[in-house]
Amino acid sequence: MPESVNTVVRVCAWMALTIASFVGMAIAAREMANGLPVFEMLTFRSLIGLVILGVYILATDRRFRTARPSLQVSRNVVHFAGQYCWTLGVIALPLAEVFALEFTVPVWTALLAALLLGERLTRPRLVAIAGGFLGVLLVVRPGAAIIDPMTFVVLLAAVCFAGSVLMVKTLTRHESAATILFYMMVIQLPIGGLLAWPDWVAPARADLLPMLVFGVGGLTAHLGLTKSLALADAAFVLPIDYLRLPVIGLVGYFLYAESLDVWVLAGAALIIGANYYAIRAESRRRALLARLAGDASGSGQSR
């Protein structure tokens, strides 16, 4: 938990930037959808982010070197696929539904960590997985209506983001957050450019502002969340991030006349509640282990 009022204020400020960035990216994607292909949107997103980082590099004379180039490439291929699927979902589905399904990322992260890394599925993680699965069923309600295939595209985005999270966990042992962000732009720019080239469209003047929001938001969303997690425990930070759902629900309602579906909200509440329970339980467990380790160390020194 944060140690001071000043820390709380700073975390809230960074998370406000994060939420505004994600919401701004969703609106920008919607606004560009009639004029630009998705691959082109992602190309400009990386280009704008790289320009901003380039200015930072020139101003600070900082150099970004990676000790894990192959992992950087793998991570960004997976993350790019997730971004592509997420953007398709934002364009096609109600915004609240997209964000609700996106909150299953911790569920997929726990499952992938168990399958690929051999991590143990603790009781809190199993609760999060069960809650996430039931929440998804409430959101999509199979049998109650024809399921939009784009729903599965958004779930695939969540799986890709989960895989990216696991690779970032490995990268952070060797690289700074700024380095990871830099290589995200450097690697994803040519990927997007090559895929966008066959259907390239000259951006219209009306696309320029949404394009800028999309590009800047892709940078500041990661920056705000990273800074917040550096200042405070995830158990404090992530519940603030869940405010994205009511915010995007209101945006969809007022800007795009999307209804606030009670089933989507109920499913999201179940997903969020299960995730929060798991986060709190894991945080308490780590704190207890740290305290026991400290007690054991103190006892050993007293002898």
Side-chain angles (χ1 to χ4, degrees):
M1 290 292 290
E3 298 179 355
S4 68
V5 173
N6 180 55
T7 302
V8 172
V9 171
R10 291 169 66 194
V11 169
C12 289
W14 281 117
M15 286 308 299
L17 176 64
T18 299
I19 293 169
S21 298
F22 280 123
V23 171
M25 288 178 68
I27 296 171
R30 280 277 182 94
E31 296 304 310
M32 291 187 289
N34 292 328
L36 298 178
V38 173
F39 283 133
E40 193 169 337
M41 294 183 201
L42 296 178
T43 301
F44 280 113
R45 171 184 177 271
S46 298
L47 178 61
I48 292 168
L50 190 57
V51 168
I52 294 171
L53 285 173
V55 172
Y56 171 73
I57 290 170
L58 290 174
T60 61
D61 198 31
R62 182 169 180 176
R63 296 293 181 266
F64 295 109
R65 294 181 177 85
T66 178
R68 304 292 300 273
S70 59
L71 187 58
Q72 291 278 12
V73 172
S74 300
R75 182 256 166 176
N76 281 291
V77 168
V78 172
H79 187 264
F80 183 90
Q83 283 290 331
Y84 178 73
C85 293
W86 181 84
T87 306
L88 287 176
V90 161
I91 293 169
L93 294 176
L95 294 176
E97 182 175 338
V98 175
F99 277 53
L101 294 173
E102 188 185 354
F103 281 133
T104 62
V105 169
V107 174
W108 302 114
T109 303
L111 283 172
L112 290 176
L115 291 172
L116 302 178
L117 304 179
E119 291 189 9
R120 190 166 64 92
L121 285 175
T122 60
R123 181 183 296 177
R125 292 182 184 182
L126 288 172
V127 169
I129 290 168
F133 177 72
L134 293 174
V136 169
L137 290 180
L138 284 177
V139 171
V140 302
R141 284 185 297 155
I146 298 175
I147 300 177
D148 191 320
M150 201 56 66
T151 297
F152 298 105
V153 173
V154 177
L155 286 173
L156 177 59
V159 174
C160 290
F161 289 149
S164 175
V165 166
L166 290 181
M167 285 185 271
V168 166
K169 283 183 178 180
T170 302
L171 283 170
T172 52
R173 299 171 190 164
H174 311 275
E175 326 266 79
S176 68
T179 299
I180 293 170
L181 199 58
F182 173 75
Y183 280 97
M184 182 176 80
M185 302 302 171
V186 168
I187 294 169
Q188 292 190 25
L189 177 59
I191 294 174
L194 288 172
L195 293 171
W197 182 253
D199 300 309
W200 190 269
V201 176
R205 183 177 297 178
D207 294 322
L208 296 182
L209 179 58
M211 189 189 300
L212 184 63
V213 171
F214 198 65
V216 173
L219 193 65
T220 55
H222 288 84
L223 176 65
L225 190 56
T226 301
K227 288 287 189 179
S228 298
L229 290 171
L231 288 168
D233 191 80
F236 179 79
V237 172
L238 295 185
I240 303 175
D241 188 39
Y242 294 149
L243 291 174
R244 269 197 283 156
L245 184 62
V247 171
I248 201 64
L250 292 173
V251 167
Y253 179 81
F254 286 109
L255 289 187
Y256 304 107
E258 296 175 356
S259 62
L260 296 173
D261 192 312
V262 65
W263 292 103
V264 171
L265 297 178
L270 187 55
I271 295 168
I272 289 170
N275 282 333
Y276 182 63
Y277 164 77
I279 292 167
R280 290 287 295 173
E282 292 282 353
S283 295
R284 289 171 180 167
R285 177 174 171 274
R286 285 195 297 270
L288 177 61
L289 291 175
R291 188 163 62 249
L292 290 175
D295 290 345
S297 176
S299 175
Q301 290 174 1
S302 67
R303 294 193 188 107

